[in-house]
Amino acid sequence: MMMKKLLFSSLFLLGSLVSQAQHEYTIEGKVEGVKDGTLVSLFLLDGNVGSTVAMDTIQNGTFFFKRNAGEDGLDKLSLMCTRNDDFPSMSLEIYATPNARIKVTGTNTLIHTWTVDSPVKEQIEYNRFIEDSHDLWDEYQRLSIKARSLRSAPEAERKALRAKEDSISALISKREMKLMQELPVSNIWMDRLYKLSMSVKYNPNFSYKDETLALYNRMNEAQKTSITGQEITVNLFPPTVVKEGDKMADTELFDLDGKIHHLTDFNGKYILLDFWSSGCGPCIMALPEMKEIQEQYKERLTIISLSSDTKSRWKAASAKHEMTWQNLNDLKQTAGLYAKYGVRGIPNYVLISPEGKIMKMWSGYGKGSLKLKMRRYLDAVKHEMSITWQGNTKVVNYPVSESTNTDILEVKQVVLTDTATIVHFNAYYIPKYWIRVSPNCRLVDEKGEMYTLKKADGIKPGEHFYLPESGEAEFSLTFEPLSSSVQSFNFTEGTEKNDWQINGVRLNK
């Protein structure tokens, strides 16, 4: 009996080893012109997430990887040499299937155009796109390497380099579109169209929108309704994006058991939407704080995490992280609610009123920042605008403003005298992080007249100001006196994208 058990165990082990070997693939690299000791990282791409699965160090111009293919039989991989100024900020795309023996060769550090010799049909098709624009890709990579050396160069020089990169990128797009007109629609083809659609969406100077739309029309309905197809569709035909003050956008959402939910199911309490992904470090860092918030505000608040991961990755991440709140997924990655809420970076948060109206939208996380937001928007006393007089001094408390591009600053009070205009601010930001007020900030009245900064109390303009543990602080800025006829003013730091603007601060009810 013992011999039979041993024989059975041996056969089982042998069968397992054979099965494992049948799913293995290898990637063997032989490159020239690359320093020994260079670290090579292999990333597995799953939806919008890439995770490091292996690393090797180049020795005598060689590196080697051996892996088991995933359950679907096709791994999409990215090979990178990170933290190395000799390489461009780019990668080499590799497709692998069970038993594939893949060879990578190169003669320089231009990794994106290293040669991939592989029997995998997806790789062969992908290689056609790279080979068709090999010369342009090499030039683009050289510019990418040069950009690293210009990080401290004058803005004009860096801008000129970016213009060259954009010009080459446009030429690559033109060649790829010509090739796509000749090739049948496939997953690789759709990946290229997705990148073109991103250019249509985010690059106002992209010249090939009509050509991209023509390529889009080559896809059949099944291809358009695939995840990649839906992402292409929302890039080319963006849905209406909701904003603060709008009714919340809703859709079918699935829990881990496959049960369908809607956001309206949770009306009656505040809702905090958490757009996240398992590959997002700050998203994961925020989870313990979200657990605390859920417990603290459980009678008033429902947290709903919305993952952009693929179904399998979402389930794996959910099993790893203890999420005691609603954890849902529309299974459309970035083509569903992500598009309707205009999410461009994660973590991204949306606070919704018990009536289903969007109160606040913001992105990014730092320790303590979510607690600060909840204190500010759920616990804070609501103040009404009021006006008092102290002799000839007019005091406007909690003035209403028309619009702002920041929720870091809030005008608490405006004091108007014959000699000065004193604006008192509340500041809210990540605890122990810094903010900075420009020394060039000013007030602008409705006629366009400007009033310069004269003095600051509680903050030094132009210098880092670190928020305390609470994430809340107060300071005041003193400007030239406003004319007595002024009804409202704008607070502005300047005209750059990230300059703070608080517009239409009213001085009368």
Side-chain angles (χ1 to χ4, degrees):
M1 180 65 72
M2 182 62 70
M3 287 296 293
K4 286 184 178 180
K5 286 184 177 180
L6 288 173
L7 179 61
F8 177 79
S9 298
S10 299
L11 290 172
F12 179 79
L13 177 60
L14 179 61
S16 298
L17 292 173
V18 170
S19 176
Q20 180 176 333
Q22 288 176 342
H23 286 84
E24 282 182 349
Y25 57 81
T26 59
I27 301 173
E28 181 181 352
K30 189 170 182 59
V31 293
E32 301 172 13
V34 179
K35 297 175 184 175
D36 275 0
T38 297
L39 183 66
V40 183
S41 299
L42 189 67
F43 295 85
L44 178 65
L45 306 179
D46 183 11
N48 297 303
V49 178
S51 54
T52 306
V53 292
M55 290 187 289
D56 195 14
T57 302
I58 293 178
Q59 296 294 340
N60 299 319
T62 65
F63 60 87
F64 184 80
F65 298 106
K66 179 189 288 186
R67 274 184 48 77
N68 287 327
E71 292 182 1
D72 64 358
L74 176 67
D75 282 0
K76 183 178 179 180
L77 303 153
S78 177
L79 191 73
M80 297 185 71
C81 293
T82 55
R83 301 176 186 174
N84 191 320
D85 287 349
D86 293 335
F87 283 80
S89 302
M90 300 178 71
S91 64
L92 178 68
E93 206 158 294
I94 298 175
Y95 295 83
T97 54
N99 299 315
R101 299 294 177 259
I102 300 165
K103 295 185 182 297
V104 175
T105 56
T107 58
N108 49 41
T109 61
L110 305 182
I111 189 170
H112 190 65
T113 45
W114 283 356
T115 300
V116 182
D117 184 11
S118 167
V120 179
K121 66 181 182 65
E122 287 83 1
Q123 187 72 56
I124 294 170
E125 184 178 352
Y126 175 82
N127 288 350
R128 286 197 63 181
F129 285 97
I130 298 300
E131 291 162 3
D132 198 55
S133 300
H134 196 292
D135 57 329
L136 294 174
W137 278 121
D138 279 357
E139 188 175 353
Y140 189 90
Q141 290 179 92
R142 292 188 186 98
L143 290 175
S144 175
I145 295 171
K146 185 178 180 180
R148 292 177 182 272
S149 65
L150 296 180
R151 281 177 288 206
S152 301
E155 173 60 23
E157 191 172 351
R158 288 183 283 124
K159 186 176 181 180
L161 183 64
R162 288 196 297 270
K164 288 182 180 179
E165 289 178 322
D166 291 344
S167 175
I168 294 170
S169 180
L171 292 173
I172 292 171
S173 295
K174 186 176 181 180
R175 285 193 191 177
E176 289 196 345
M177 286 187 290
K178 183 178 179 181
L179 182 58
M180 291 171 71
Q181 291 168 358
E182 303 169 2
L183 295 175
V185 177
S186 65
N187 289 337
I188 300 298
W189 189 99
M190 289 174 65
D191 284 345
R192 309 315 286 184
L193 183 59
Y194 172 76
K195 292 177 180 178
L196 290 170
S197 73
M198 292 288 281
S199 295
V200 171
K201 182 175 182 178
Y202 293 115
N203 182 1
N205 298 318
F206 187 65
S207 304
Y208 304 111
K209 180 177 180 179
D210 291 342
E211 292 85 346
T212 303
L213 290 172
L215 290 170
Y216 172 82
N217 289 328
R218 288 191 57 199
M219 293 193 298
N220 60 36
E221 285 307 308
Q223 290 161 340
K224 288 179 180 178
T225 55
S226 68
I227 293 297
T228 302
Q230 290 182 66
E231 291 182 320
I232 294 169
T233 300
V234 298
N235 284 341
L236 297 179
F237 309 99
T240 299
V241 175
V242 293
K243 59 185 183 300
E244 291 179 7
D246 289 348
K247 182 180 178 181
M248 66 183 180
D250 204 352
T251 191
E252 284 191 349
L253 297 163
F254 300 87
D255 63 23
L256 292 167
D257 296 322
K259 184 179 178 182
I260 296 175
H261 302 265
H262 293 85
L263 296 182
T264 51
D265 298 342
F266 306 98
N267 278 354
K269 289 185 179 182
Y270 291 97
I271 297 172
L272 178 64
L273 300 183
D274 160 43
F275 293 90
W276 74 292
S277 164
S278 60
C280 163
C283 299
I284 304 304
M285 288 170 57
L287 297 182
E289 189 168 332
M290 290 174 64
K291 186 175 182 180
E292 292 181 45
I293 289 171
Q294 178 63 36
E295 181 61 29
Q296 182 178 352
Y297 293 94
K298 59 185 176 183
E299 301 301 325
R300 303 165 57 199
L301 175 72
T302 299
I303 296 177
I304 303 176
S305 286
L306 299 171
S307 175
S308 62
D309 288 341
T310 60
K311 186 175 182 179
S312 59
R313 179 173 282 275
W314 169 51
K315 287 192 171 185
S318 299
K320 181 178 179 181
H321 303 287
E322 186 179 352
M323 301 171 72
T324 57
W325 51 91
Q326 295 293 329
N327 177 20
L328 308 175
N329 195 325
D330 62 10
L331 303 180
K332 294 182 179 180
Q333 295 183 34
T334 60
L337 279 187
Y338 273 67
K340 292 180 180 179
Y341 281 91
V343 177
R344 295 181 64 173
I346 52 176
N348 190 277
Y349 303 97
V350 179
L351 183 63
I352 299 170
S353 74
E355 297 75 35
K357 291 289 183 69
I358 297 172
M359 296 172 58
K360 287 292 174 182
M361 309 173 80
W362 71 94
S363 60
Y365 172 77
K367 187 176 180 181
S369 61
L370 291 177
K371 292 180 181 178
L372 172 63
K373 295 285 187 183
M374 296 305 102
R375 287 200 307 272
R376 184 177 179 187
Y377 298 121
L378 270 61
D379 293 342
V381 176
K382 300 295 188 292
H383 295 282
E384 295 291 333
M385 177 178 172
S386 65
I387 299 173
T388 60
W389 288 87
Q390 300 171 6
N392 292 327
T393 298
K394 182 179 182 180
V395 180
V396 183
N397 298 299
Y398 299 99
V400 175
S401 58
E402 291 179 0
S403 64
T404 179
N405 68 348
T406 177
D407 67 349
I408 295 174
L409 294 187
E410 172 186 85
V411 177
K412 178 183 179 181
Q413 186 183 73
V414 181
V415 179
L416 300 120
T417 74
D418 294 336
T419 58
T421 302
I422 306 167
V423 183
H424 294 268
F425 291 91
N426 288 333
Y428 306 89
Y429 199 51
I430 301 169
K432 298 184 178 181
Y433 278 60
W434 60 266
I435 62 173
R436 181 170 54 199
V437 173
S438 170
N440 299 317
C441 65
R442 55 195 177 273
L443 305 183
V444 183
D445 67 21
E446 57 262 64
K447 295 180 180 179
E449 186 171 345
M450 297 184 184
Y451 303 82
T452 58
L453 178 67
K454 295 298 184 182
K455 189 178 75 166
D457 292 294
I459 195 169
K460 292 183 179 180
E463 297 185 13
H464 291 178
F465 174 77
Y466 286 86
L467 276 293
E469 188 72 41
S470 66
E472 303 175 50
E474 295 183 21
F475 64 88
S476 65
L477 302 176
T478 300
F479 300 88
E480 294 176 308
L482 291 172
S483 169
S484 59
S485 62
V486 172
Q487 299 296 308
S488 67
F489 65 83
N490 299 338
F491 167 79
T492 178
E493 289 191 306
T495 57
E496 296 298 320
K497 180 180 179 182
N498 294 321
D499 288 342
W500 283 331
Q501 313 280 344
I502 304 177
N503 300 318
V505 180
R506 286 167 45 187
L507 301 177
N508 294 293
K509 287 187 176 181

